[in-house]
Amino acid sequence: MVLEDVSTFLQFSHCYGAWSGVRDNVIHTSDNSIAYPAGRHLCVYNSETKEMSFLLQPENVEVMTAISASPNTRKYLAVAEQLVDGTSQVSVFNTASEKRVKTLSHADCKTFVSLCFSNDSKFLVTVGGGPEFTMIYWNWFHAKVVASCRINSEVRRVSFSPLDNVQIASSGPGLLKLWRLQESTLKGFNMLSGKIASSNFTDHAWAPGDRLLASTDNGDVLVVEQGELRCIVKTRLSGSPINSLSVYSSGFIIGGTEGRMSVYEKNDAREKGEDKDPYHHFKTFRSNEHVEILSVSVSPQEETLAAFFSNNQVATFPIVNIDILKEGDNHFQYVGSGFHSQPVTGLDICVRRPLVATCGGDRSVRIWNYMDKNCEVSKIFSEDLSAIAIHPSGFHVLIGFTDKLRFFNVLMDDLRQFQEFPIKGCKEVRFSHGGHKFAAVNISNIVIFSTYTFEKLGVLISHTAMVKSISFSPDDLRLVSAGVDGAVYEWSLQGYTRVEENVTRNVHYSCVVYNQSANAVIACGDDRKISEFVKSATAREVGTPGMRVQQLLLSNNDKILFAGTAEGFILSYIWGVEGAITEGPHYVVSRGNVTRMATTPDDCILFVTSEDGTVFQFDIHLMEEGEVVPKKPLDPSSFLDVVLVTRGDMEEKNTTMSDLENKIGEIQVQSEYKLHLQEQDWNDKTKKMKEEMEAARGAAEARFEALRRRKEQQELEAVEAIQNMERAHMKAAEELESLYEKKLAMEGQRYRALLHEKEDMECSYEEQLEITKSKYNSVIMKLKAEYESKTKEQQDAYNRLKEELANTKASYEEFVRQQDEDHEDEVLKVQQNHRKALEEEQEAVLNLKSQSAIMRRKFDTHKGEMETLKTQLKHKEDELRQANEKGEEQERQIQMLKNDIRDREQTIDNKEKRISELRMKAKELEKIKFVLDYKYKELKKEIEPKETQIIHMKEQIKEMDEELQRDVRTNHALGQALNDKAHKIDNLNIEIKRQRAMVQEKERVINLFLSDLEKLVTEIDPSYWRDAIRQLYRSYVKKGAKEQGARDVPDSMDEFARQREHMERSLETLKRRAAKNEEAVKINNQKKATENAVLIDELNALRREKRLLEVKVQELTSEVQVGTRKRKGKGDEEPADVTAANTPAPAVDVSSSKEPAVNSRPTSNRRTSPGGGGGGGGGGGGGG
């Protein structure tokens, strides 16, 4: 099949990785976006959307050396680039459009080590590499060099002053210098002297104002103001180098070794000179990555901070919450949950879940979710990793270690080892497409295992050297392998035999892949070719001159072949099953070798890993007939949403949850108890504050009375002062009026004299002007006539000579034509004569021209004299106009003085009216004060009984709390007594059992004795009595009750059982009584709690009633104010008000008029538990 009109292109989508070899590795381009280098390009990551855009570099850019952003707008980004040909340039990008807007280069700079924008983003300063370290001041928009100079010392940082674009600072080992741009030259000034000047300065930054902060490699920060050292701040990083220093509004932030970041804040008190140091230590934070912090960047709004670590990790820090963050915790959030810091050695993609598994030289395994753009599982091992493969289900991974191949289960957030295989240094491992088998490379052999039984199914042996690549066919019936021995073998997995082979000497193959129909394999090696083999024969080949292909990837539809090179490029080819191969576009990706490639099953996304530790994600777009083929967006529902969790983890989580629930219950009980204590404390504080407020109110009343008396005294003094001012003002006004009248008369006389003088000067100037005009007109006419006549004569002579010259030339030419052959000598003489005549005529013409020029100069001289006279006339006219303007100005001054007098008279009238209005207003305010005082007293009388009732209820609540505590103590004492009685009952039961056993034994002996005695009595023979009595003595006196007790044991056990039953019944009775007592106590407590709740409701009702009263007071106050304004509008129409105004107001407590305003503030409502009713009541009382 031949593919026509088919093409493809890749679009950069995301990158998992970063590179630390650039100055200022991370920079904020906005509040939520940070830029950092990855591979050969610059990534711009949005922390909110987790999306990424790229500032792509062309092929001729080998590496980036420095980055800088415009300070305020962050609109522009400058990137220093090292080119492949050994030169360097600076590219300026627009961060909004992501396009290159300007490129700068300089012949003296083979590389750039630092660069910085000015504060207004119009200028750019760059520093070249060593040994000259040339500093160049650019007007970058016009690509113009303003100034340059050689520093001849290593420079690590250069920066503009935020206040002045012509002031620049530079720092480096033994260098801290200030530069100024003066007349297109840069002049340097040393800011330090002595031993401190030879310090190794690692970084510097400008603080607000003219303050420069510089960090050293021993952990100190130097504060330089106005070019002089002010102080040295000893930081918490003392003894270790400070790699980065950044300034924000509250102080500065430094980053150093072991992942430490210290924050220092300004001290306002110290800024005033009370202390030497202007900064103090605030907090120090440390990340869990104990590596160096190379660079930090603060967002424009100072909400987040971005940090770049030496292990190629990028992290953000919530600097806006720095006040509440604890120093011991790790608050750094890594972009993408972390990256690889060493070359990526393995890559594989999952089918049923959106996962990509990678392993690297940093001994870490990371499983990425390419839909969420995040690392779901990350684990670091203690051994080197060489290969990885993920099962199509996404629940298992195979990892090759140096000693064994291990099989892991992928849990929700961890990898759990399940099986291991004795394969050392496995460099290549693959699962089959169905997942039921996997193949592992053991140097030159390939071992096939079963995924579910872990049984070794077969071993493929034919390669004589290391196998570099293996690939399963789509139907999992075949496997192809390629090695450094130049052999490409196809194997049948049914009999585990070799079916096809292709051996090429002196070629080291690095990768091999199957097509979808499994009838062809594609391989690449160090022969700079890509070869397709069909049944052990080469079918097609394509050369890659100048590039060594390391990896191959054929799309699932066999249309596109991607090739990764050792130079970091991705090549694309329109492949197909047969026919010609069309080369597509190629893309520069990384700085090193492309190690692995993989694509999703739908051929929409391509993943590329490289030696610089980056994992690039591309979107694959296919074009047919010039149009992009649409593709379906990724649907999360098409993937499995299942994770593995072990039973032990689930049980542990359940146990943890139950423990947390118990802790929550305990914390709730403790919080309720603390709340109760706090409410009691608040009641006491409220009472104390009320007493203090009453005392303060009394003091304020006394102070107000004193101020009122002082005010009255000042009013009297002000009235007297105003009267004195009026008299003085009237006197001054009369004097000014007489003085201005005199001045006005004098100025009028002067004005008339100047007017006469002006008229005389105008007449004389007009006469002189007429005479001069007539004189010079006649002279000009005469000169003009002479000039025209002479010019006409010269023109006639010139025309005549010209005609003669033409006639002579014609005759001469005719004569020459006739006599040319015979009279050459005569011709030459004639030519010479005529040439002389021509020269003479030309000289005559030149003389006439010079005379004409002289006449023209004379004419110009006369014309200049006439212009001079006109200028003099104009000057006289200007003087006359100035005199007129001066007279008008004097008239305006007279008018202004009159207006000033009129304004002052009007001001005096206004002040008199204002004084009368203030007096009327004071009388009205006194009336209002009297009315408000009366209403306040009435309201206070209405509120006092309710305050008394609130206090009485608070006392009742307190008594009930005390009674509740007494009941609790009584219950506790009863419980103790019940325990004591139970112990006594147990002892008595034991004693009763012992006594009863003794009684039973005695009774048994007595019964036996009675029976024997009865037998003895019934015996008739007396001789028998003596032996029987002796027997009774031996039995009951000597032997005792030992044998009898032994015979009567069953009777004592029955008695013990009866006594035990009796005691159990007694114990049950006591338990029932104790339960009844507890129930009674519980009912009593509930009753008291109900009464407490009722009291709280009553208190809340009283509070609401109090607020209503306060609102009524405010309404009455507003009504009084409205009535006052109305009465004030009526003025003198109401005689009663005038009479009331003239009546002196009674002396009242003025501070009481402010009391309603204080009490009108509503008390904040609080939710009160039944145990905290006292606190609520106390709050209400304090508000009253």
Side-chain angles (χ1 to χ4, degrees), residues 436-487:
H436 59 290
K437 298 178 182 178
F438 65 87
V441 173
N442 187 3
I443 305 177
S444 61
N445 301 329
I446 303 170
V447 187
I448 310 298
F449 291 92
S450 172
T451 304
Y452 303 111
T453 63
F454 303 113
E455 178 186 359
K456 184 188 291 186
L457 302 178
V459 180
L460 309 180
I461 302 173
S462 280
H463 285 280
T464 60
M466 180 177 290
V467 177
K468 296 292 289 183
S469 178
I470 58 176
S471 177
F472 281 92
S473 63
D475 54 7
D476 291 336
L477 297 178
R478 287 192 176 190
L479 183 139
V480 64
S481 61
V484 297
D485 55 356

Side-chain angles (χ1 to χ4, degrees), residues 580-744:
I581 301 171
T582 305
E583 184 177 358
H586 57 274
Y587 307 89
V588 57
V589 177
S590 61
R591 296 180 300 103
N593 182 14
V594 174
T595 56
R596 299 284 177 177
M597 293 192 299
T599 183
T600 55
D602 57 358
D603 287 335
C604 290
I605 300 176
L606 173 68
F607 294 93
V608 178
T609 63
S610 63
E611 283 187 345
D612 57 7
T614 56
V615 181
F616 278 92
Q617 177 178 335
F618 296 89
D619 290 336
I620 303 174
H621 297 278
L622 192 65
M623 298 183 66
E624 294 182 356
E625 297 180 356
E627 295 183 358
V628 178
V629 177
K631 60 181 181 178
K632 295 181 180 179
L634 290 176
D635 185 9
S637 61
S638 62
F639 296 102
L640 286 177
D641 191 12
V642 181
V643 294
L644 288 181
V645 181
T646 62
R647 187 183 299 276
D649 292 342
M650 288 298 298
E651 292 175 354
E652 183 180 355
K653 289 184 184 296
N654 292 333
T655 305
T656 305
M657 287 177 62
S658 61
D659 293 341
L660 290 175
E661 288 176 355
N662 295 333
K663 287 182 180 179
I664 289 171
E666 294 175 359
I667 291 170
Q668 286 178 350
V669 174
Q670 292 177 2
S671 63
E672 290 176 357
Y673 178 68
K674 288 181 180 179
L675 182 63
H676 180 68
L677 294 179
Q678 287 179 356
E679 288 181 349
Q680 290 181 351
D681 188 23
W682 289 339
N683 292 337
D684 297 338
K685 289 183 179 179
T686 304
K687 185 177 179 181
K688 184 178 179 181
M689 290 175 65
K690 186 176 180 181
E691 293 175 354
E692 293 176 354
M693 186 176 66
E694 291 293 337
R697 187 178 67 179
E701 289 175 355
R703 190 165 58 254
F704 179 77
E705 187 64 26
L707 290 172
R708 187 180 63 80
R709 290 194 296 269
R710 186 177 175 186
K711 171 180 168 291
E712 293 175 353
Q713 184 179 359
Q714 288 179 352
E715 284 179 352
L716 295 175
E717 293 176 356
V719 169
E720 185 178 356
I722 289 170
Q723 291 175 356
N724 294 332
M725 287 174 64
E726 287 176 355
R727 289 193 292 270
H729 180 70
M730 292 300 295
K731 184 177 179 182
E734 292 175 356
E735 292 177 355
L736 283 172
E737 187 175 358
S738 61
L739 179 62
Y740 286 146
E741 287 178 354
K742 291 179 182 179
K743 285 185 177 180
L744 188 61

Side-chain angles (χ1 to χ4, degrees), residues 175-397:
L175 173 69
L176 185 61
K177 207 167 186 179
L178 199 65
W179 304 82
R180 289 194 67 84
L181 179 65
Q182 296 178 355
E183 298 177 355
S184 299
T185 57
L186 290 169
K187 295 184 179 180
F189 307 93
N190 291 320
M191 290 183 282
L192 304 175
S193 60
K195 186 178 180 180
I196 193 67
S198 61
S199 301
N200 185 5
F201 296 100
T202 57
D203 201 357
H204 74 265
W206 290 92
D210 194 14
R211 176 179 292 176
L212 182 68
L213 307 178
S215 61
T216 64
D217 61 349
N218 60 358
D220 296 337
V221 174
L222 279 65
V223 181
V224 180
E225 287 187 356
Q226 297 179 355
E228 295 182 357
L229 179 64
R230 176 177 176 181
C231 66
I232 300 176
V233 179
K234 298 289 184 180
T235 68
R236 294 296 179 92
L237 306 182
S238 182
S240 60
I242 298 174
N243 296 325
S244 180
L245 186 148
S246 182
V247 175
Y248 73 117
S249 60
S250 299
F252 65 89
I253 302 171
I254 56 176
T257 58
E258 298 180 358
R260 292 180 296 173
M261 183 184 74
S262 292
V263 181
Y264 285 78
E265 289 191 346
K266 293 186 292 188
N267 237 338
D268 295 335
R270 291 183 172 87
E271 291 288 345
K272 297 177 182 178
E274 297 179 7
D275 202 341
K276 183 179 179 181
D277 295 333
Y279 297 96
H280 68 277
H281 177 261
F282 182 56
K283 287 183 180 180
T284 297
F285 301 94
R286 177 176 292 184
S287 71
N288 54 9
E289 300 282 346
H290 296 294
V291 294
E292 293 186 8
I293 297 178
L294 299 181
S295 179
V296 294
S297 173
V298 180
S299 63
Q301 298 297 328
E302 298 183 354
E303 294 181 354
T304 60
L305 177 141
F308 200 105
F309 295 87
S310 60
N311 61 346
N312 294 341
Q313 304 297 328
V314 182
T316 59
F317 184 89
I319 194 174
V320 69
N321 301 325
I322 196 170
D323 294 332
I324 61 176
L325 297 179
K326 294 182 180 180
E327 293 190 62
D329 300 335
N330 177 30
H331 304 286
F332 289 94
Q333 297 178 357
Y334 295 96
V335 173
S337 300
F339 304 139
H340 285 289
S341 59
Q342 297 293 330
V344 181
T345 58
L347 169 71
D348 199 8
I349 194 164
C350 177
V351 177
R352 295 295 296 131
R353 299 171 66 189
L355 300 179
V356 174
T358 59
C359 65
D362 55 357
R363 299 179 176 180
S364 69
V365 171
R366 298 181 184 272
I367 298 179
W368 314 85
N369 188 317
Y370 56 82
M371 288 186 65
D372 297 338
K373 309 291 193 302
N374 197 19
C375 181
E376 288 193 351
V377 181
S378 175
K379 190 166 185 177
I380 299 176
F381 296 91
S382 59
E383 303 178 33
D384 293 333
L385 313 177
S386 56
I388 191 171
I390 188 168
H391 194 268
S393 65
F395 296 134
H396 317 288
V397 291

